[in-house]
Amino acid sequence: MKQDPDTGRASSLATGLRLWPLKRYSEMHRRSLEDPEDFWSGEARKLDWYKTWDRVLDWHMPYARWFVGGRLNACYQCVDRHAKMWRRSKVAIYWEGERGETRVLSYSTLFREVNRFASALRQLGVTKGDRIALYLPMIPELPIAMLACARIGAVHTVIFSGFSAQAICDRVADTQAKIIVTADGGYRRGKIIPLKEITDEAAVRCPSVQNIIVARRTGEPVPMKEDRDIWLPSLLEGAGKFIDCEAVESTHPLYVLYTSGTTGKPKGVVHSTGGYLVFNHSAYQWVFDIREESVYWCTADVGWVTGHSSIVYAPLSHAAAIVLYEGAPDYPTVDRWWDIIAKYGVRIFYTSPTAVRMFVRHGEEGPLKHDLSSLELLGSVGEPINPEAWQWYYKYIGGERCPIVDTWWQTETGGIMISPTPGIEPVPLKPGSATFPLPGVDAAVVDASGQETRPGETGYLIIRRPWPGMLLDIYGDPQRYKETYWTRFPGSYYTGDFAMKDEDGYLWLLGRADEVLKVAGHRIGTAELEDAAVAHPAVSEAAVVGKADEVKGEGIVLFVTLKEDVKPSATLRKELVRHMRQAIGPVATPDEVYFVDSLPKTRSGKIMRRVLKALAVGQSVGDLTTLENEASVDEVRRAYEGLKKRVSAAEGD
Ligand code: PRX
């Protein structure tokens, strides 16, 4: 970590902005935008290529292709190049099971495991470009399977192990994956999640699936279908010890990862190999100052983009040691995480504001019981971090010694876009601000007409030029790709986020500007939730709005109208909650369910969400600042008052 020459500290809070201006960062950022091709080719040279690129960038709006003509392999970057040298005996993965078991994998063990897994996939007929679905708990087999796919040029699609059979089905059907890799179960708060049974339920509706590979975790018996299901250990027994890395094109897809948007159908975000790896490799050096001696722990699930970039590809490309923890943060006791930090000597710790807020509730006794002095740098991701949570994190976890990097990014951006960059130079921090765009990232805050806003004004966050981690496309839906990201502000990438730039040029990320919620940092579209709700036989119409939640950031409020003859009741409310969890997963659990006899709508039939939102958050309609375009103030007020009465009438039932 670079030191502040005045204080000797790793970084400092922005008291008086003593370190201003940031010389090294500003110079690097300026250079990266002046000559992006020169800048990024310099960064790309830090990786090993089988063949260097012919052109740094082909940019045909809205498609960017980086390092065109270059060939490389993601598994080689993350495993082989370390296993070939002294780093072979270095720790790659410290795995900690929820029940306290541990596994430590060196880079040479990882090399061996990945090779066997990749050979096994090849024996099953998997070739370059095939899609493989991974529905696994947080066990070493998950990164091993990802790297094994990358090794042979197969495209992985990881499905978060908290998702339901329906979610697996949607993703497998969309990608036409021919193999699903799962486990006999996973542990969560001491309970077994029956992953194999859930996979079976999905697979009967997914004709593309030829095989299900089952890793051993719980040892419990699970149903196995002959000719389709294979135990991973027996598959590996017969597999070869080594298989060559496929030298794929830089633009070859590394993975597809589904995320929520504004329609009911999640979108498959496609990431490249070369651009994605170059961007992440550089970003983790700038943001986390990550090095081979780093013990690095990102608490996200590998099922989200944070897990892809921050657990697997970026830290392993730097030969760091990662911590992979299987279970719940507060299980069996609320100090489990702090115990893990002390046990492995974690140097860099990266988590979500929701987790921090949960720990704030439990109090500081937990962290104070443990020696957290190994920590040097803290990170936050996924949602805005409120200053109170920031201060607590800084004081009780970082011992007022560690800078906090508040990192803003998205599934689509592939890697961190806006964040302090202590790996370049210490950045004076302002609690709640993600500070500045990374080198190569041309971020701006604009009003509805695309003009840059004045300091302090809220606007939309856009990125004005492509960056190497940018998604390649939406899988199978180029039209949606264009419309979602490139139509609102022509020529620029639209993030869907509100932001504000202050007088000092610091960026403040203010949440989603579209119908997407962030529940405990998980991204979920209101349309997706509404589709799931109306799939229940009792429900006629549904509307979902978000409501501020002290811990989760945002909670789900569901309004439903019921079919004729169905009466609202407490039992039905419970049943609906259960139905939502089953349809999507626990992420989709509504915090509140209201029965109404009709939803407030504009003349053209559009649901007046603002009205619902005002009701959900207990504001008066007079507080509504932005009204639906088509509705008059009067109409909205009438709808609001009417709805309020109907909700209370129904609640009385
Ligand atoms: O609204 C922003 C929020 O998370 C969204 C992206 O969600 P997802 O694709 O699931 O990726 C999350 C992890 C990379 C963004 O549009 N978001 C992410 N990081 C921050 C944030 N909001 C505020 N501050 C952040 N640091």
Side-chain angles (χ1 to χ4, degrees):
M1 176 64 47
K2 311 226 164 27
Q3 302 268 302
D4 176 343
D6 296 336
T7 62
R9 285 219 179 136
S11 186
S12 66
L13 290 178
T15 41
L17 302 181
R18 277 179 313 102
L19 295 168
W20 196 258
L22 294 166
K23 286 209 195 71
R24 282 227 290 283
Y25 160 79
S26 306
E27 159 58 19
M28 211 164 146
H29 192 252
R30 188 190 51 73
R31 193 163 53 82
S32 72
L33 298 191
E34 260 170 30
D35 194 348
E37 302 205 2
D38 179 65
F39 178 80
W40 285 116
S41 63
E43 293 303 310
R45 284 200 191 92
K46 295 176 183 166
L47 299 185
D48 282 5
W49 296 76
Y50 297 109
K51 176 184 173 297
T52 44
W53 48 96
D54 305 316
R55 293 181 307 284
V56 177
L57 171 66
D58 278 355
W59 174 222
H60 302 291
M61 232 276 296
Y63 290 108
R65 298 293 177 256
W66 288 87
F67 312 111
V68 181
R71 283 180 180 269
L72 76 170
N73 184 282
C75 182
Y76 186 88
Q77 303 302 319
C78 295
V79 184
D80 294 43
R81 68 172 180 155
H82 314 315
K84 275 198 328 198
M85 42 158 24
W86 66 267
R87 293 191 189 116
R88 73 176 67 88
S89 53
K90 240 198 112 267
V91 172
I93 301 177
Y94 287 113
W95 178 75
E96 169 107 0
E98 194 182 72
R99 292 144 65 95
E101 316 93 309
T102 56
R103 273 166 75 184
V104 181
L105 283 76
S106 65
Y107 274 95
S108 76
T109 312
L110 186 61
F111 176 81
R112 199 178 63 227
E113 298 290 321
V114 166
N115 269 285
R116 284 167 68 218
F117 206 122
S119 307
L121 289 175
R122 180 55 57 76
Q123 274 173 18
L124 289 174
V126 177
T127 55
K128 183 181 167 194
D130 285 346
R131 276 81 54 213
I132 307 294
L134 309 177
Y135 182 62
L136 282 160
M138 291 280 282
I139 54 177
E141 283 72 14
L142 179 47
I144 290 169
M146 292 162 80
L147 293 161
C149 287
R151 189 167 192 92
I152 56 173
V155 181
H156 58 72
T157 186
V158 180
I159 304 168
F160 171 51
S161 62
F163 276 146
S164 66
Q166 186 56 45
I168 304 176
C169 214
D170 293 344
R171 287 152 177 77
V172 169
D174 201 48
T175 51
Q176 290 292 294
K178 57 183 195 187
I179 290 181
I180 306 180
V181 184
T182 188
D184 54 5
Y187 289 99
R188 191 79 185 171
R189 284 183 209 287
K191 286 206 194 100
I192 292 178
I193 316 279
L195 299 174
K196 174 64 168 63
E197 284 85 344
I198 301 172
T199 307
D200 285 348
E201 197 187 326
V204 288
R205 287 176 276 153
C206 301
S208 67
V209 176
Q210 295 165 8
N211 292 113
I212 298 179
I213 301 175
V214 189
R216 274 265 184 230
R217 168 65 186 115
T218 63
E220 294 291 315
V222 292
M224 295 291 279
K225 191 171 168 209
E226 237 188 292
D227 300 333
R228 186 196 66 181
D229 302 350
I230 316 162
W231 284 109
L232 179 63
S234 55
L235 185 68
L236 295 179
E237 255 170 44
K241 285 201 169 64
F242 176 79
I243 180 163
D244 270 327
C245 286
E246 184 93 29
V248 300
E249 304 79 21
S250 169
T251 54
H252 181 70
L254 178 60
Y255 65 82
V256 179
L257 182 62
Y258 285 79
T259 189
S260 296
T262 50
T263 71
K265 189 173 172 275
K267 44 197 178 187
V269 169
V270 188
H271 278 295
S272 73
T273 303
Y276 174 82
L277 285 177
V278 169
F279 188 62
N280 274 297
H281 188 78
S282 298
Y284 279 70
Q285 198 269 308
W286 300 330
V287 173
F288 292 108
D289 194 19
I290 197 163
R291 288 180 255 118
E292 60 196 14
E293 64 268 33
S294 303
V295 179
Y296 172 93
W297 184 17
C298 165
T299 64
D301 194 285
V302 173
W304 311 111
V305 76
T306 324
H308 282 58
S309 303
S310 311
I311 298 179
V312 182
Y313 290 110
L316 296 182
S317 81
H318 282 278
I322 60 167
V323 173
L324 191 69
Y325 170 55
E326 177 189 38
D330 50 356
Y331 189 85
T333 51
V334 293
D335 61 343
R336 184 70 192 267
W337 275 12
W338 321 127
D339 181 49
I340 293 175
I341 291 178
K343 179 169 173 184
Y344 296 105
V346 172
R347 177 182 160 253
I348 306 167
F349 180 67
Y350 192 28
T351 193
S352 71
T354 290
V356 175
R357 287 190 292 262
M358 188 196 83
F359 286 115
V360 172
R361 275 205 167 171
H362 288 306
E364 53 271 20
E365 297 73 29
L368 290 177
K369 268 205 319 224
H370 296 273
D371 175 8
L372 304 181
S373 60
S374 61
L375 288 171
E376 286 181 21
L377 188 68
L378 304 176
S380 166
V381 62
E383 39 176 335
I385 182 160
N386 48 311
E388 301 71 38
W390 196 103
Q391 295 292 359
W392 189 91
Y393 194 26
Y394 185 71
K395 184 166 178 191
Y396 294 109
I397 308 306
E400 295 180 318
R401 178 185 79 246
C402 309
I404 298 178
V405 290
D406 178 357
T407 63
W408 177 91
W409 54 299
Q410 307 179 300
T411 306
E412 294 87 339
T413 69
I416 299 169
M417 302 286 278
I418 303 175
S419 167
T421 46
I424 299 173
E425 72 185 307
V427 176
L429 304 171
K430 296 193 189 189
S433 165
T435 74
F436 306 107
L438 258 53
V441 174
D442 188 5
V445 181
V446 297
D447 64 19
S449 67
Q451 294 300 309
E452 269 198 76
T453 52
R454 284 197 299 272
E457 269 177 20
T458 297
Y460 303 96
L461 179 69
I462 61 167
I463 313 295
R464 291 184 291 205
R465 68 177 80 199
W467 65 98
M470 186 173 114
L471 71 168
L472 286 178
D473 211 342
I474 298 282
Y475 194 82
D477 202 347
Q479 196 54 32
R480 191 169 176 195
Y481 169 68
K482 274 183 220 148
E483 276 164 17
T484 311
Y485 308 110
W486 301 96
T487 351
R488 178 90 188 253
F489 299 101
S492 291
Y493 169 87
Y494 174 48
T495 62
D497 270 31
F498 285 127
M500 184 272 280
K501 200 188 247 191
D502 71 13
E503 300 279 346
D504 298 317
Y506 279 62
L507 287 162
W508 299 76
L509 286 311
L510 305 173
R512 299 290 306 190
D514 55 10
E515 299 301 339
V516 170
L517 307 182
K518 273 283 171 162
V519 180
H522 302 321
R523 178 165 158 182
I524 187 143
T526 52
E528 204 178 331
L529 293 161
E530 288 161 6
D531 283 1
V534 293
H536 189 280
V539 175
S540 167
E541 277 187 305
V544 166
V545 292
K547 177 180 180 175
D549 181 285
E550 240 180 68
V551 174
K552 293 190 290 183
E554 208 161 20
I556 298 171
V557 182
L558 171 65
F559 291 87
V560 290
T561 65
L562 298 174
K563 296 226 172 102
E564 264 179 51
D565 307 332
V566 182
K567 289 257 170 301
S569 67
T571 319
L572 181 57
R573 179 177 287 113
K574 271 199 205 125
E575 158 66 20
L576 274 175
V577 171
R578 200 189 55 79
H579 163 81
M580 297 293 286
R581 290 172 65 92
Q582 208 161 39
I584 300 177
V587 173
T589 311
D591 296 271
E592 292 168 28
V593 179
Y594 293 109
F595 298 115
V596 288
D597 58 8
S598 66
L599 291 169
K601 290 195 186 145
T602 61
R603 268 159 290 176
S604 65
K606 217 176 135 220
I607 292 170
M608 290 193 258
R609 283 176 189 285
R610 305 270 167 194
V611 170
L612 294 171
K613 181 123 187 162
L615 194 73
V617 302
Q619 279 178 331
S620 88
V621 76
D623 298 334
L624 299 176
T625 46
T626 335
L627 299 175
E628 304 300 328
N629 293 338
E630 298 172 61
S632 70
V633 177
D634 253 10
E635 238 179 312
V636 171
R637 189 163 294 134
R638 274 202 306 278
Y640 177 77
E641 294 305 334
L643 182 70
K644 216 161 129 185
K645 275 194 209 121
R646 295 197 300 274
V647 166
S648 34
E651 293 305 295
D653 274 313

